[in-house]
Amino acid sequence: MVDDTSQTINLSAPVLEKLEAGSRPFSILIQKLTGIVGKTDILYNADELLVYECDGYIVDKSVPDIVIFPTSTAQVSEIVKLCNEFNVPFLARGAGTSLSGGCLPIGGGVMIVLTRMKQILELNLRDRYAIVEPGMVNLHLTNALKGTGYHYAPDPSSQGACTIGGNIATNSGGPHTLKYGVTTNHVLGLEAVLPDGSVIELGGPTAEVPGYDLHGVYVGNEGTFGICTKAIVRLTRDPEAHRTMLAVFQTIGDATRAISEMIAEGIIPSALEMMDHGIIQAVEEAFHFGFPLDAGAVLLIEVDGLEVALDAEVSKILEICNKNNVREIQRADTPEERMLIWKSRKQAFGAIGRLSPSYCTQDGVVPRTRLPEILEFIEQTSKKYGLRIVNVFHAGDGNVHPILLFDERDQGQIQLVLEASEEILEKCLELGGSVTGEHGIGVEKINFMSRIFNETDLAMMERVRNIFNPRQICSRDKVLPPHASDNSPKVSQTHPARRAPH
Amino acid sequence: MSPLQSGSQEEFVPASQTELSRFIAENAAGNHRQLFPVGGRTSLAVCCPTSQTGIQLCTSQLNRVVDYPVRDLTITVEAGMRIDELNKMISAEGQRLPIDIPQSNRATIGGVIATNTSGPKRFSYGTIRDYVIGISAIDGQGNLFKSGGRVVKNVAGYDLGKMLVGSLGTLAVISQVSLNLRPKPQTISMVWFQFDSCQTVDQALEAIVTSGTRPIAVEYCNAKAASQIAAEARLELPADQHILCICYEGPENEVHWQANHIVSEWNQYSPLSVQTVVTEEATRLYNAFTEYQTSSDDPVTLKAILLPSQMMKFIEMATRLNIAVQAHAADGIVFGHLPDSASSLDDVQQILNQLKKTIDPKTGYLNIYQCESEWSHSLPLFCSPPAGWNLMQQFKNALDPEHVLNSQRFNELVEI
Ligand SMILES: Cc1cc2nc3c(=O)[nH]c(=O)nc-3n(C[C@H](O)[C@H](O)[C@H](O)COP(=O)(O)OP(=O)(O)OC[C@H]3O[C@@H](n4cnc5c(N)ncnc54)[C@H](O)[C@@H]3O)c2cc1C
Ligand SMILES: Cc1cc2nc3c(=O)[nH]c(=O)nc-3n(C[C@H](O)[C@H](O)[C@H](O)COP(=O)(O)OP(=O)(O)OC[C@H]3O[C@@H](n4cnc5c(N)ncnc54)[C@H](O)[C@@H]3O)c2cc1C
C-alpha cells in the first residue's frame, strides 16, 4: 500500500506581510498602486473598506487594507507584481455574491475588484464563442445576445449581479444545469494573471487545443490560481420553445419518484425545481399564487426544444405525474404565465423573510434517487433540534438547499443551526453525495475537505495549486485545509450564515 | 511481483488499483524504468511515439463495474473496461455515453479519457471531458489519488479530472472513473447533401448558425473520403462531389420534421443531390463516419483544429492536394488522409507546407496524427506550442518527477 501520510509536500508557506495603515511601506505601496490605476480607482480609508469586509457569506469578516479597481490585464499584472514585491497577500473579487467566503481577505492585503473590466471583446456566432472581460455581469452577456438566437447557458440565480470571472472561479451552476451543464462545460479558454504577475493564455476559441486541458483545471479554482482577466465562452442556441408546469404533490416521496421516472423515461427537463411544504406555505402567505396549503411538494418542471416535439414530451410528463398521485398541474401557455410560474420559484426567498429574522442556506448534493432519504433526514434533524427547516432546490441535480430558520439574537439557536447543518452535510456524504454543489468550499467548508478526500488526494490538489500559486500569496487559506504546522491566520466558524439563498 | 514478457514488450497486468500503485511506487523508488499505460492498444502508434522500451501497464484486468445506480444516470467503472461492454450494459437500461469511439470492441474507457477521443456528435454533446464526474489515478510515484465524486453536481476541491482528460497517460495512470450518462435517443436520421464547391459548402455551414433545426452532428467529406465512407457503410450514395451530411436524433416526429426542414432551408444553396438515410442504415453510415476519422493505412493521417469559419480554406487546399478529407464541420476539426503518392518525406513536407499557409497561426493547429514510423522524427507534429506550454511542463514535473510515465509522448507533440 502507498503510505498516505508520506505524500504531503512541505509547503512552508511564507509569512506574508501584514500592512500597517500609515506605515512607510503602506504609503509607498499606495503611491505605486495609485500610479497604476489613478486616484479614483483605489480605496484605502477605513470606512470605505468596510463594504469589502465580506461577501454573500457574512459570518466571518476581514477588512482588506487596499481595494483596487484595474481596467486592463496590464494593470492587473502590475498590481500583482507589486504585491509580490511588497510580500502582501491579494485576491480577486467580482460582484461579491460568493456564499462560501471566497472573497474573504484573510490576513488583509490587496483586494483586486474586476467590475470595471466588463467589456465584450468579441461576439462570434459563426464560431459560437464570445470573448469577455471577467467583470462582465453574467446576465448582461445574454442580454447583449438577445435577438441573435444565442445565449450564455450557465445561469446562476444570482446572474443579475454575479460576474463571469466569479462564475469561472466557482464553476457556477443554476436552474438549467440539469440539461445544459455548469460553467466548466461552457468555457473554451481564458487569460489569467498568475500569482507572480505573469500573463498566460489557456485553451482558445477552437474546439480543442493540443496538450493538457489547463483551462478545465482552472475553472472552479475559487480564486486560488491567479486572476482571470479574459474569458472565451461558448454560446448556446436558444431553444425554439418552452413548456413550463407546476405540479402539486401530496408528498415529497411522490414528487421525487416522478422525477426519477421522468429521467428513466429519457426525458431531461431543462429545469426541475422543488419546493417543499414549508416553503409553499411561506410563498402562499406572501404572494397568493394559489398553492394548496396542505400540499407536500410543488415541482416546477420546464422542458425546452423544438416546438414540434414538446407536446408529446409534456404528455409523457403528465402521465408520469398522474401515476405518482399528482394533485393538480398548472401549465403556462403564454410567456407571461411562464414568467409567473418562475416568479413563484424565484420569490420563494423573499417569502422566507416573513418566517424568520435569520436563515442559513446549505448546499448539499445527493444522488437524485436519494432525495427522499435526505429530505426525510432533514425533517428529522429539524425535529431533533427544534429548528424550522424549509427546502427549495434543484431537484433534477440532487442539489438540496435546506434553509435553516433561526433568530440571530439567540446564541443557543446559533449553535443548533451550526450542528444541524453539519449533520445534514455529513448525511449527504454518507448517501454518496457532496457538501457543495455550487457554492464552493471557500473558507466555509474547509473543514469538510479532509472528510471527503484523503491525505494523498489533498496533497495532489496542493501540488496542482502550487504550480499556479506556490507562495500562497493569492487568496490564501481557501479550499484546502491548512497544515497543522502553518501559522497563517485561521478562520473558524462561529456563527451560521444569514445568507441570501436561491 | 515482476512484469511478464509478452512478445517483445514487457507487460504488467495489475488486478487492482492497489497492486498498480505499489508497482509504480516500487519503480519510482527503484530503477526508474519507463512505464506505458495501455488500454485496448488501438492507437499506441498515434501521434508517433518513439520506440517504447520499458514496461506496458495493461489495464485489461481493471475492468469491473464499481457501481451502476441506473436511475441516477451515473456509472463508476474501472479504467480498463472495454467500450462495447460498457455500451452493452448501459444500453440495456436505455442509456448511453454520447461519445463516438472507433474500434469500440477494443478501446477502453481509460484510453478514451487519456486521448480525449471524440467524433461527430461532439457538436451537440461535447466530449468525454463533459461526462467525467469523478476520477482516480496513480501518478508517476505511485500515489493513488482521486478528485470529484459520483454525483453530477459537485464543486468540492479542484477538478483534477480535467487535467487527466487528453493527458495521454503522461501524468498518471487512470484507474477508475465515474461518468454521467444520457438517455438513448429514439431514432436517428442523416441527410446526405452533395454540393458543387467549397464555397457553397461554406455558405450552407454558415446557415447552420441560425437553422431552425438542431443538428447532432454536421460532417463534411470530400469526394475521395465520401466514396470510402459510403462503401464502408454499404450504401449507394452519390459521392463524386463535396458532401455535407447532417444528423438528427431524438423522438421520431422531431427527427422527421428536422430532416425535411433542413432540405427546404438548404434548397437555396442548390445542392446537386439530397438523400435521407434513416434508422438502421443511418446507424451504419454514422458508424462509418466514426471509424473513418482515425482508421488509416495511408502514409500520413493529419488532424487540423481550426475555427469553423476558417476551415473551408484549409479543406479546399487539402482537396487540391488530393488528400481525402473528413471534418466535424461545425466544430472545425479536420482529418486528412494523404494519398499513397506521398511516398517520400520530401513529398509529405511539401504538402504540409502548402497546408500550413492556409492556417491562421493564432488560432489553428495542425498535427500529424499517424505516419510511417521512419518519418516520425522528421515531421513537425504540431504547428506551434499550445497556449500554456510552460505550465504544462510544470504539470508533468509535478506529477511525474522522474519522467517515467510515457515520458516521450507529450514532449514529442510539440515542435519547440
Ligand atoms: C442570491 C444568490 C443566488 C445565488 N445562486 C447561485 C446559483 O444558482 N448557482 C451558483 O453556482 N451560485 C450561486 N450563488 C453564488 C454566487 O453567486 C456564485 O458563486 C458566483 O459565481 C459568484 O460570482 P461573483 O462575481 O459574485 O464572485 P465573487 O463573489 O466576487 O467571488 C467569488 C470567488 O471567485 C473569485 N473570483 C472572482 N472574480 C475572479 C476573477 N476574475 N479571477 C479569479 N478569481 C475570481 C473570488 O476570489 C472568490 O473566491 C448565488 C449567490 C447569491 C447571493
Ligand atoms: C492523441 C490521440 C488522440 C486521439 N483522438 C481521437 C479522436 O479525436 N477521435 C477518435 O475517433 N479517435 C481518437 N484517437 C484514437 C482512439 O479512439 C483512442 O486512442 C482510443 O479510444 C483509446 O483507447 P485504447 O484503450 O485503445 O487506448 P490505447 O491505444 O491503449 O492507448 C492510447 C493512449 O492512451 C494512454 N492510456 C490508455 N489507457 C490509459 C489509462 N488507463 N491511463 C492513462 N493513460 C492511458 C496510453 O498510454 C496511450 O498514450 C486518438 C488517439 C490518440 C493517441
Side-chain angles (χ1 to χ4, degrees), chain B residues 37 39-43 46 102 108 117-118 168-169 174 293 369 406 409:
Chain B
R41 298 187 169 88
T42 60
S43 55
V46 167
T108 60
T117 298
S118 70
L168 290 178
I174 299 161
Q293 50 182 348
Y369 187 79
N406 247 350
R409 186 141 219 177

Side-chain angles (χ1 to χ4, degrees), chain A residues 7 127 150 208 212 238 434, chain B residues 122 143 154 170 209 214 309:
Chain A
Q7 307 312 325
D127 298 319
Y150 283 77
E208 60 190 51
Y212 303 141
D238 294 343
S434 173
Chain B
R122 60 176 296 150
N143 300 310
N154 181 8
T170 59
V209 170
R214 301 292 189 271
S309 57

Side-chain angles (χ1 to χ4, degrees), chain A residues 250-300:
Chain A
Q250 193 63 33
T251 65
I252 292 246
D254 284 339
T256 42
R257 264 188 301 278
I259 293 174
S260 259
E261 269 176 47
M262 274 177 231
I263 307 254
E265 279 288 311
I267 302 169
I268 303 274
S270 53
L272 259 180
E273 301 281 299
M274 193 191 284
M275 291 181 259
D276 78 351
H277 177 70
I279 203 95
I280 294 168
Q281 287 197 319
V283 168
E284 202 42 41
E285 270 169 41
F287 303 110
H288 312 293
F289 284 105
F291 298 149
L293 288 175
D294 59 340
V298 168
L299 259 191
L300 188 164

